[in-house]
Amino acid sequence: MAGVTDWAFRTVCARLGAGLTVTEMVSSRALVYRDRKSAALLRRNEGSVMGAQIFGSDPAIMAEAAALAVEISGCDFLDINMGCPMTKVVRNGDGAALMQNVPLAARIVEAVAKAVSVPVTVKCRLGWDRGNLCVVELAQAVAGAGAQAIAVHGRTRAMLYSGVADWDTIRQVKQAVANGDIFSGEAAVQCQKRSAADFLMLGRGVFGDPWLFQEVNAALEGRPIPPRPPLAARMDTALEQLHLARQDKGEHIACLEARKHFAWYLRGVAYSGYYKERISHIATMAEAEAIAAGIKRDLK
């Protein structure tokens, strides 16, 4: 969720029903080297249980970074990313690369758990590829090393974000969090039944649709699914997120990042091509507000 789950978006998601939110992943080395931009990613949002997520592959550096992350963010738990599949991450032995070295993964968890006073959790995948599904072994190892929960993205590193998430394999990892292909309340119910997970983690499904949390909560509780707000109200939320981002990062950066977020809020909206093109050039708050006004006037 790098580049997506910033403070502004987490704040919106928490307001709309996310019971637990996690920061973008932050480099352990960058934290230890006192990189200001990395530390800024750890700003705490209110309204939910909040976790700070770090990544790396050196136990000592991870332990030091974990303590810094907790101090900076005031987080409720510390999450270790062992699932990022991106080449620039795994080529350094970080992220999903740790699924190829379960003993090292366990040593990292043990070092981090000793360094912080908050619960430690792990996010991972099923394994490196279909021929190396090590998630059960990894879960057992990190749980023994001190992890309190493990979030399982039901794909291998080789799959990246393609194919279909494997909820049946997740079922083998009891006391896990299920992740993958939850884009509706119905999918959440099916995932919970097939995986027997203790709770569910939503990812790409909430891009531009933070109301998905309300739908999933209702479906899991057997309540009627609440309708999505009309487009005008959704644009108000998009603007709210942008204003929060400006407060956090300044107008220039907030507007650059708003280009993707605003486009996500228009996903599936008929005849929105003209406005998506304008969105791709947003540079100021005034432009964003003018575009939102046009969308509310012209589209349904």
mmCIF file of all heavy atoms in Angstrom, residues 95-145:
data_model
loop_
_atom_site.group_PDB
_atom_site.id
_atom_site.type_symbol
_atom_site.label_atom_id
_atom_site.label_comp_id
_atom_site.label_asym_id
_atom_site.label_seq_id
_atom_site.Cartn_x
_atom_site.Cartn_y
_atom_site.Cartn_z
ATOM 1 N N GLY A 95 11.210 -7.504 2.285
ATOM 2 C CA GLY A 95 9.871 -7.827 1.818
ATOM 3 C C GLY A 95 9.664 -9.315 1.630
ATOM 4 O O GLY A 95 10.024 -10.132 2.485
ATOM 5 N N ALA A 96 9.083 -9.693 0.482
ATOM 6 C CA ALA A 96 8.763 -11.091 0.220
ATOM 7 C C ALA A 96 9.991 -11.983 0.123
ATOM 8 O O ALA A 96 9.879 -13.214 0.221
ATOM 9 C CB ALA A 96 7.942 -11.207 -1.069
ATOM 10 N N ALA A 97 11.175 -11.400 -0.050
ATOM 11 C CA ALA A 97 12.393 -12.205 -0.097
ATOM 12 C C ALA A 97 12.607 -12.968 1.200
ATOM 13 O O ALA A 97 13.241 -14.043 1.206
ATOM 14 C CB ALA A 97 13.607 -11.317 -0.388
ATOM 15 N N LEU A 98 12.090 -12.465 2.301
ATOM 16 C CA LEU A 98 12.262 -13.140 3.588
ATOM 17 C C LEU A 98 11.523 -14.478 3.629
ATOM 18 O O LEU A 98 11.836 -15.329 4.470
ATOM 19 C CB LEU A 98 11.779 -12.243 4.726
ATOM 20 C CG LEU A 98 12.693 -11.040 5.024
ATOM 21 C CD1 LEU A 98 12.022 -10.079 5.984
ATOM 22 C CD2 LEU A 98 14.025 -11.518 5.597
ATOM 23 N N MET A 99 10.567 -14.683 2.725
ATOM 24 C CA MET A 99 9.869 -15.964 2.695
ATOM 25 C C MET A 99 10.765 -17.071 2.139
ATOM 26 O O MET A 99 10.424 -18.244 2.221
ATOM 27 C CB MET A 99 8.580 -15.842 1.881
ATOM 28 C CG MET A 99 7.624 -14.794 2.442
ATOM 29 S SD MET A 99 5.909 -15.053 1.983
ATOM 30 C CE MET A 99 5.491 -16.470 3.007
ATOM 31 N N GLN A 100 11.908 -16.685 1.619
ATOM 32 C CA GLN A 100 12.901 -17.669 1.185
ATOM 33 C C GLN A 100 13.915 -17.970 2.290
ATOM 34 O O GLN A 100 14.812 -18.794 2.091
ATOM 35 C CB GLN A 100 13.645 -17.145 -0.057
ATOM 36 C CG GLN A 100 12.760 -16.912 -1.265
ATOM 37 C CD GLN A 100 13.556 -16.503 -2.481
ATOM 38 O OE1 GLN A 100 13.801 -17.283 -3.396
ATOM 39 N NE2 GLN A 100 13.994 -15.253 -2.497
ATOM 40 N N ASN A 101 13.771 -17.297 3.423
ATOM 41 C CA ASN A 101 14.705 -17.490 4.530
ATOM 42 C C ASN A 101 13.922 -17.401 5.835
ATOM 43 O O ASN A 101 13.993 -16.396 6.560
ATOM 44 C CB ASN A 101 15.814 -16.431 4.478
ATOM 45 C CG ASN A 101 16.968 -16.751 5.400
ATOM 46 O OD1 ASN A 101 16.812 -17.496 6.375
ATOM 47 N ND2 ASN A 101 18.133 -16.183 5.124
ATOM 48 N N VAL A 102 13.169 -18.442 6.135
ATOM 49 C CA VAL A 102 12.309 -18.449 7.317
ATOM 50 C C VAL A 102 13.097 -18.263 8.613
ATOM 51 O O VAL A 102 12.658 -17.522 9.506
ATOM 52 C CB VAL A 102 11.456 -19.732 7.357
ATOM 53 C CG1 VAL A 102 10.685 -19.845 8.669
ATOM 54 C CG2 VAL A 102 10.485 -19.756 6.177
ATOM 55 N N PRO A 103 14.259 -18.891 8.781
ATOM 56 C CA PRO A 103 15.016 -18.660 10.021
ATOM 57 C C PRO A 103 15.371 -17.187 10.238
ATOM 58 O O PRO A 103 15.296 -16.688 11.355
ATOM 59 C CB PRO A 103 16.269 -19.521 9.835
ATOM 60 C CG PRO A 103 15.808 -20.631 8.933
ATOM 61 C CD PRO A 103 14.893 -19.959 7.954
ATOM 62 N N LEU A 104 15.763 -16.500 9.152
ATOM 63 C CA LEU A 104 16.080 -15.080 9.274
ATOM 64 C C LEU A 104 14.826 -14.293 9.625
ATOM 65 O O LEU A 104 14.868 -13.379 10.464
ATOM 66 C CB LEU A 104 16.675 -14.549 7.970
ATOM 67 C CG LEU A 104 16.934 -13.031 7.912
ATOM 68 C CD1 LEU A 104 17.867 -12.599 9.036
ATOM 69 C CD2 LEU A 104 17.483 -12.629 6.539
ATOM 70 N N ALA A 105 13.698 -14.639 9.011
ATOM 71 C CA ALA A 105 12.440 -13.966 9.321
ATOM 72 C C ALA A 105 12.118 -14.084 10.811
ATOM 73 O O ALA A 105 11.694 -13.124 11.453
ATOM 74 C CB ALA A 105 11.311 -14.554 8.479
ATOM 75 N N ALA A 106 12.330 -15.267 11.359
ATOM 76 C CA ALA A 106 12.056 -15.487 12.779
ATOM 77 C C ALA A 106 13.009 -14.674 13.654
ATOM 78 O O ALA A 106 12.599 -14.112 14.675
ATOM 79 C CB ALA A 106 12.172 -16.974 13.103
ATOM 80 N N ARG A 107 14.268 -14.581 13.267
ATOM 81 C CA ARG A 107 15.230 -13.798 14.050
ATOM 82 C C ARG A 107 14.851 -12.315 14.045
ATOM 83 O O ARG A 107 15.012 -11.619 15.052
ATOM 84 C CB ARG A 107 16.650 -13.981 13.502
ATOM 85 C CG ARG A 107 17.220 -15.381 13.718
ATOM 86 C CD ARG A 107 18.748 -15.381 13.616
ATOM 87 N NE ARG A 107 19.216 -14.926 12.313
ATOM 88 C CZ ARG A 107 19.374 -15.722 11.249
ATOM 89 N NH1 ARG A 107 19.047 -17.017 11.330
ATOM 90 N NH2 ARG A 107 19.830 -15.236 10.114
ATOM 91 N N ILE A 108 14.361 -11.842 12.918
ATOM 92 C CA ILE A 108 13.929 -10.441 12.832
ATOM 93 C C ILE A 108 12.771 -10.189 13.788
ATOM 94 O O ILE A 108 12.767 -9.203 14.537
ATOM 95 C CB ILE A 108 13.534 -10.102 11.383
ATOM 96 C CG1 ILE A 108 14.778 -10.057 10.490
ATOM 97 C CG2 ILE A 108 12.770 -8.772 11.327
ATOM 98 C CD1 ILE A 108 14.478 -9.921 9.010
ATOM 99 N N VAL A 109 11.774 -11.071 13.766
ATOM 100 C CA VAL A 109 10.629 -10.910 14.652
ATOM 101 C C VAL A 109 11.070 -10.944 16.106
ATOM 102 O O VAL A 109 10.626 -10.133 16.937
ATOM 103 C CB VAL A 109 9.571 -11.995 14.378
ATOM 104 C CG1 VAL A 109 8.479 -11.969 15.445
ATOM 105 C CG2 VAL A 109 8.963 -11.806 12.997
ATOM 106 N N GLU A 110 11.952 -11.864 16.437
ATOM 107 C CA GLU A 110 12.422 -11.972 17.818
ATOM 108 C C GLU A 110 13.130 -10.697 18.253
ATOM 109 O O GLU A 110 12.897 -10.179 19.356
ATOM 110 C CB GLU A 110 13.366 -13.161 17.955
ATOM 111 C CG GLU A 110 13.871 -13.375 19.372
ATOM 112 C CD GLU A 110 14.767 -14.602 19.494
ATOM 113 O OE1 GLU A 110 15.227 -15.107 18.444
ATOM 114 O OE2 GLU A 110 15.005 -15.049 20.622
ATOM 115 N N ALA A 111 13.982 -10.145 17.382
ATOM 116 C CA ALA A 111 14.711 -8.930 17.723
ATOM 117 C C ALA A 111 13.768 -7.745 17.880
ATOM 118 O O ALA A 111 13.902 -6.944 18.814
ATOM 119 C CB ALA A 111 15.752 -8.631 16.635
ATOM 120 N N VAL A 112 12.794 -7.647 16.987
ATOM 121 C CA VAL A 112 11.846 -6.544 17.044
ATOM 122 C C VAL A 112 10.955 -6.657 18.290
ATOM 123 O O VAL A 112 10.700 -5.660 18.980
ATOM 124 C CB VAL A 112 10.991 -6.503 15.766
ATOM 125 C CG1 VAL A 112 9.809 -5.540 15.920
ATOM 126 C CG2 VAL A 112 11.852 -6.094 14.572
ATOM 127 N N ALA A 113 10.481 -7.851 18.572
ATOM 128 C CA ALA A 113 9.605 -8.054 19.730
ATOM 129 C C ALA A 113 10.304 -7.675 21.032
ATOM 130 O O ALA A 113 9.671 -7.175 21.968
ATOM 131 C CB ALA A 113 9.132 -9.502 19.775
ATOM 132 N N LYS A 114 11.606 -7.901 21.098
ATOM 133 C CA LYS A 114 12.361 -7.543 22.297
ATOM 134 C C LYS A 114 12.605 -6.040 22.390
ATOM 135 O O LYS A 114 12.848 -5.511 23.477
ATOM 136 C CB LYS A 114 13.703 -8.271 22.303
ATOM 137 C CG LYS A 114 13.598 -9.774 22.538
ATOM 138 C CD LYS A 114 14.972 -10.424 22.501
ATOM 139 C CE LYS A 114 14.876 -11.928 22.775
ATOM 140 N NZ LYS A 114 16.210 -12.595 22.706
ATOM 141 N N ALA A 115 12.524 -5.356 21.240
ATOM 142 C CA ALA A 115 12.864 -3.938 21.205
ATOM 143 C C ALA A 115 11.681 -3.013 21.470
ATOM 144 O O ALA A 115 11.880 -1.835 21.754
ATOM 145 C CB ALA A 115 13.474 -3.583 19.847
ATOM 146 N N VAL A 116 10.456 -3.541 21.367
ATOM 147 C CA VAL A 116 9.278 -2.686 21.518
ATOM 148 C C VAL A 116 8.331 -3.257 22.573
ATOM 149 O O VAL A 116 8.362 -4.447 22.878
ATOM 150 C CB VAL A 116 8.528 -2.520 20.181
ATOM 151 C CG1 VAL A 116 9.428 -1.867 19.138
ATOM 152 C CG2 VAL A 116 7.998 -3.853 19.665
ATOM 153 N N SER A 117 7.469 -2.391 23.085
ATOM 154 C CA SER A 117 6.516 -2.817 24.106
ATOM 155 C C SER A 117 5.123 -3.060 23.541
ATOM 156 O O SER A 117 4.228 -3.494 24.264
ATOM 157 C CB SER A 117 6.432 -1.750 25.212
ATOM 158 O OG SER A 117 6.044 -0.499 24.672
ATOM 159 N N VAL A 118 4.927 -2.765 22.246
ATOM 160 C CA VAL A 118 3.625 -2.984 21.610
ATOM 161 C C VAL A 118 3.648 -4.337 20.899
ATOM 162 O O VAL A 118 4.724 -4.894 20.625
ATOM 163 C CB VAL A 118 3.306 -1.864 20.597
ATOM 164 C CG1 VAL A 118 3.230 -0.517 21.298
ATOM 165 C CG2 VAL A 118 4.339 -1.839 19.468
ATOM 166 N N PRO A 119 2.473 -4.898 20.576
ATOM 167 C CA PRO A 119 2.441 -6.173 19.846
ATOM 168 C C PRO A 119 3.126 -6.062 18.483
ATOM 169 O O PRO A 119 3.079 -5.012 17.838
ATOM 170 C CB PRO A 119 0.942 -6.445 19.684
ATOM 171 C CG PRO A 119 0.299 -5.689 20.795
ATOM 172 C CD PRO A 119 1.129 -4.450 20.968
ATOM 173 N N VAL A 120 3.747 -7.153 18.073
ATOM 174 C CA VAL A 120 4.416 -7.224 16.770
ATOM 175 C C VAL A 120 3.616 -8.143 15.856
ATOM 176 O O VAL A 120 3.207 -9.238 16.269
ATOM 177 C CB VAL A 120 5.860 -7.750 16.913
ATOM 178 C CG1 VAL A 120 6.501 -7.956 15.538
ATOM 179 C CG2 VAL A 120 6.686 -6.792 17.751
ATOM 180 N N THR A 121 3.365 -7.698 14.630
ATOM 181 C CA THR A 121 2.637 -8.503 13.648
ATOM 182 C C THR A 121 3.454 -8.620 12.375
ATOM 183 O O THR A 121 4.435 -7.893 12.185
ATOM 184 C CB THR A 121 1.260 -7.889 13.332
ATOM 185 O OG1 THR A 121 1.452 -6.590 12.745
ATOM 186 C CG2 THR A 121 0.419 -7.748 14.594
ATOM 187 N N VAL A 122 3.043 -9.522 11.498
ATOM 188 C CA VAL A 122 3.765 -9.774 10.253
ATOM 189 C C VAL A 122 2.782 -9.800 9.091
ATOM 190 O O VAL A 122 1.702 -10.375 9.202
ATOM 191 C CB VAL A 122 4.520 -11.120 10.301
ATOM 192 C CG1 VAL A 122 5.064 -11.507 8.925
ATOM 193 C CG2 VAL A 122 5.658 -11.053 11.319
ATOM 194 N N LYS A 123 3.147 -9.173 7.995
ATOM 195 C CA LYS A 123 2.395 -9.309 6.747
ATOM 196 C C LYS A 123 3.246 -10.099 5.769
ATOM 197 O O LYS A 123 4.422 -9.788 5.570
ATOM 198 C CB LYS A 123 2.059 -7.944 6.153
ATOM 199 C CG LYS A 123 1.279 -8.065 4.834
ATOM 200 C CD LYS A 123 0.987 -6.706 4.210
ATOM 201 C CE LYS A 123 0.236 -6.883 2.894
ATOM 202 N NZ LYS A 123 -0.034 -5.578 2.222
ATOM 203 N N CYS A 124 2.659 -11.125 5.150
ATOM 204 C CA CYS A 124 3.420 -11.956 4.228
ATOM 205 C C CYS A 124 2.539 -12.419 3.079
ATOM 206 O O CYS A 124 1.369 -12.042 2.975
ATOM 207 C CB CYS A 124 4.009 -13.165 4.957
ATOM 208 S SG CYS A 124 2.755 -14.350 5.506
ATOM 209 N N ARG A 125 3.097 -13.263 2.228
ATOM 210 C CA ARG A 125 2.358 -13.901 1.135
ATOM 211 C C ARG A 125 2.348 -15.410 1.351
ATOM 212 O O ARG A 125 2.794 -15.898 2.389
ATOM 213 C CB ARG A 125 2.980 -13.523 -0.206
ATOM 214 C CG ARG A 125 2.701 -12.070 -0.584
ATOM 215 C CD ARG A 125 3.299 -11.677 -1.921
ATOM 216 N NE ARG A 125 2.809 -10.351 -2.302
ATOM 217 C CZ ARG A 125 2.096 -10.081 -3.384
ATOM 218 N NH1 ARG A 125 1.804 -11.060 -4.244
ATOM 219 N NH2 ARG A 125 1.682 -8.861 -3.655
ATOM 220 N N LEU A 126 1.856 -16.133 0.374
ATOM 221 C CA LEU A 126 1.805 -17.593 0.503
ATOM 222 C C LEU A 126 3.191 -18.214 0.409
ATOM 223 O O LEU A 126 3.439 -19.295 0.941
ATOM 224 C CB LEU A 126 0.913 -18.192 -0.585
ATOM 225 C CG LEU A 126 -0.555 -17.759 -0.581
ATOM 226 C CD1 LEU A 126 -1.300 -18.447 -1.725
ATOM 227 C CD2 LEU A 126 -1.223 -18.072 0.750
ATOM 228 N N GLY A 127 4.087 -17.537 -0.275
ATOM 229 C CA GLY A 127 5.432 -18.049 -0.496
ATOM 230 C C GLY A 127 6.044 -17.323 -1.676
ATOM 231 O O GLY A 127 5.469 -16.376 -2.221
ATOM 232 N N TRP A 128 7.226 -17.775 -2.096
ATOM 233 C CA TRP A 128 7.900 -17.122 -3.220
ATOM 234 C C TRP A 128 7.187 -17.414 -4.534
ATOM 235 O O TRP A 128 6.980 -16.546 -5.358
ATOM 236 C CB TRP A 128 9.356 -17.568 -3.283
ATOM 237 C CG TRP A 128 10.150 -16.841 -4.320
ATOM 238 C CD1 TRP A 128 10.556 -17.310 -5.523
ATOM 239 C CD2 TRP A 128 10.629 -15.490 -4.239
ATOM 240 N NE1 TRP A 128 11.267 -16.348 -6.211
ATOM 241 C CE2 TRP A 128 11.327 -15.220 -5.445
ATOM 242 C CE3 TRP A 128 10.549 -14.488 -3.269
ATOM 243 C CZ2 TRP A 128 11.928 -13.982 -5.696
ATOM 244 C CZ3 TRP A 128 11.144 -13.261 -3.543
ATOM 245 C CH2 TRP A 128 11.819 -13.021 -4.730
ATOM 246 N N ASP A 129 6.832 -18.681 -4.740
ATOM 247 C CA ASP A 129 6.068 -19.087 -5.920
ATOM 248 C C ASP A 129 5.259 -20.319 -5.559
ATOM 249 O O ASP A 129 5.311 -20.796 -4.417
ATOM 250 C CB ASP A 129 6.990 -19.343 -7.127
ATOM 251 C CG ASP A 129 8.124 -20.322 -6.824
ATOM 252 O OD1 ASP A 129 7.897 -21.274 -6.026
ATOM 253 O OD2 ASP A 129 9.221 -20.139 -7.356
ATOM 254 N N ARG A 130 4.481 -20.859 -6.512
ATOM 255 C CA ARG A 130 3.609 -21.986 -6.206
ATOM 256 C C ARG A 130 4.389 -23.230 -5.795
ATOM 257 O O ARG A 130 3.863 -24.101 -5.101
ATOM 258 C CB ARG A 130 2.728 -22.324 -7.410
ATOM 259 C CG ARG A 130 1.733 -21.255 -7.799
ATOM 260 C CD ARG A 130 0.771 -20.862 -6.700
ATOM 261 N NE ARG A 130 -0.040 -21.957 -6.196
ATOM 262 C CZ ARG A 130 -1.015 -21.818 -5.313
ATOM 263 N NH1 ARG A 130 -1.312 -20.612 -4.831
ATOM 264 N NH2 ARG A 130 -1.715 -22.856 -4.889
ATOM 265 N N GLY A 131 5.641 -23.316 -6.199
ATOM 266 C CA GLY A 131 6.461 -24.453 -5.817
ATOM 267 C C GLY A 131 7.071 -24.307 -4.439
ATOM 268 O O GLY A 131 7.710 -25.245 -3.927
ATOM 269 N N ASN A 132 6.903 -23.133 -3.844
ATOM 270 C CA ASN A 132 7.503 -22.887 -2.534
ATOM 271 C C ASN A 132 6.500 -22.146 -1.636
ATOM 272 O O ASN A 132 6.688 -20.982 -1.294
ATOM 273 C CB ASN A 132 8.772 -22.043 -2.697
ATOM 274 C CG ASN A 132 9.852 -22.768 -3.472
ATOM 275 O OD1 ASN A 132 10.599 -23.569 -2.920
ATOM 276 N ND2 ASN A 132 9.930 -22.487 -4.768
ATOM 277 N N LEU A 133 5.430 -22.859 -1.274
ATOM 278 C CA LEU A 133 4.408 -22.291 -0.395
ATOM 279 C C LEU A 133 4.818 -22.550 1.052
ATOM 280 O O LEU A 133 4.588 -23.623 1.595
ATOM 281 C CB LEU A 133 3.037 -22.915 -0.688
ATOM 282 C CG LEU A 133 2.500 -22.727 -2.107
ATOM 283 C CD1 LEU A 133 1.134 -23.371 -2.242
ATOM 284 C CD2 LEU A 133 2.436 -21.250 -2.484
ATOM 285 N N CYS A 134 5.418 -21.555 1.668
ATOM 286 C CA CYS A 134 5.988 -21.735 3.004
ATOM 287 C C CYS A 134 5.217 -20.981 4.084
ATOM 288 O O CYS A 134 5.712 -20.849 5.202
ATOM 289 C CB CYS A 134 7.446 -21.285 3.008
ATOM 290 S SG CYS A 134 7.650 -19.518 2.695
ATOM 291 N N VAL A 135 4.005 -20.510 3.774
ATOM 292 C CA VAL A 135 3.325 -19.621 4.705
ATOM 293 C C VAL A 135 3.027 -20.278 6.049
ATOM 294 O O VAL A 135 3.130 -19.634 7.095
ATOM 295 C CB VAL A 135 2.039 -19.046 4.074
ATOM 296 C CG1 VAL A 135 1.028 -20.138 3.782
ATOM 297 C CG2 VAL A 135 1.426 -17.983 4.978
ATOM 298 N N VAL A 136 2.685 -21.567 6.035
ATOM 299 C CA VAL A 136 2.402 -22.236 7.310
ATOM 300 C C VAL A 136 3.675 -22.326 8.143
ATOM 301 O O VAL A 136 3.680 -22.037 9.347
ATOM 302 C CB VAL A 136 1.807 -23.631 7.062
ATOM 303 C CG1 VAL A 136 1.651 -24.378 8.384
ATOM 304 C CG2 VAL A 136 0.459 -23.520 6.368
ATOM 305 N N GLU A 137 4.772 -22.717 7.499
ATOM 306 C CA GLU A 137 6.055 -22.793 8.198
ATOM 307 C C GLU A 137 6.460 -21.419 8.728
ATOM 308 O O GLU A 137 6.914 -21.282 9.877
ATOM 309 C CB GLU A 137 7.131 -23.301 7.235
ATOM 310 C CG GLU A 137 8.525 -23.354 7.840
ATOM 311 C CD GLU A 137 9.604 -23.667 6.819
ATOM 312 O OE1 GLU A 137 9.265 -23.881 5.635
ATOM 313 O OE2 GLU A 137 10.794 -23.674 7.208
ATOM 314 N N LEU A 138 6.278 -20.396 7.899
ATOM 315 C CA LEU A 138 6.637 -19.050 8.329
ATOM 316 C C LEU A 138 5.776 -18.605 9.504
ATOM 317 O O LEU A 138 6.287 -18.040 10.486
ATOM 318 C CB LEU A 138 6.468 -18.067 7.170
ATOM 319 C CG LEU A 138 6.813 -16.616 7.495
ATOM 320 C CD1 LEU A 138 8.320 -16.417 7.473
ATOM 321 C CD2 LEU A 138 6.140 -15.645 6.542
ATOM 322 N N ALA A 139 4.472 -18.865 9.423
ATOM 323 C CA ALA A 139 3.570 -18.465 10.501
ATOM 324 C C ALA A 139 3.967 -19.110 11.820
ATOM 325 O O ALA A 139 3.975 -18.459 12.872
ATOM 326 C CB ALA A 139 2.131 -18.827 10.132
ATOM 327 N N GLN A 140 4.283 -20.391 11.771
ATOM 328 C CA GLN A 140 4.681 -21.091 12.987
ATOM 329 C C GLN A 140 5.978 -20.513 13.543
ATOM 330 O O GLN A 140 6.130 -20.329 14.760
ATOM 331 C CB GLN A 140 4.844 -22.578 12.696
ATOM 332 C CG GLN A 140 3.531 -23.278 12.365
ATOM 333 C CD GLN A 140 3.733 -24.704 11.884
ATOM 334 O OE1 GLN A 140 4.783 -25.054 11.341
ATOM 335 N NE2 GLN A 140 2.721 -25.538 12.079
ATOM 336 N N ALA A 141 6.911 -20.187 12.642
ATOM 337 C CA ALA A 141 8.211 -19.673 13.080
ATOM 338 C C ALA A 141 8.093 -18.290 13.701
ATOM 339 O O ALA A 141 8.651 -18.022 14.772
ATOM 340 C CB ALA A 141 9.183 -19.639 11.894
ATOM 341 N N VAL A 142 7.352 -17.388 13.041
ATOM 342 C CA VAL A 142 7.267 -16.025 13.569
ATOM 343 C C VAL A 142 6.387 -15.963 14.817
ATOM 344 O O VAL A 142 6.623 -15.133 15.708
ATOM 345 C CB VAL A 142 6.784 -15.035 12.494
ATOM 346 C CG1 VAL A 142 7.756 -14.991 11.324
ATOM 347 C CG2 VAL A 142 5.372 -15.353 12.014
ATOM 348 N N ALA A 143 5.387 -16.849 14.889
ATOM 349 C CA ALA A 143 4.576 -16.892 16.108
ATOM 350 C C ALA A 143 5.434 -17.336 17.290
ATOM 351 O O ALA A 143 5.343 -16.778 18.389
ATOM 352 C CB ALA A 143 3.390 -17.835 15.926
ATOM 353 N N GLY A 144 6.296 -18.312 17.056
ATOM 354 C CA GLY A 144 7.195 -18.766 18.108
ATOM 355 C C GLY A 144 8.220 -17.727 18.502
ATOM 356 O O GLY A 144 8.737 -17.731 19.613
ATOM 357 N N ALA A 145 8.499 -16.806 17.559
ATOM 358 C CA ALA A 145 9.491 -15.759 17.823
ATOM 359 C C ALA A 145 8.881 -14.523 18.461
ATOM 360 O O ALA A 145 9.605 -13.598 18.834
ATOM 361 C CB ALA A 145 10.185 -15.359 16.519
#
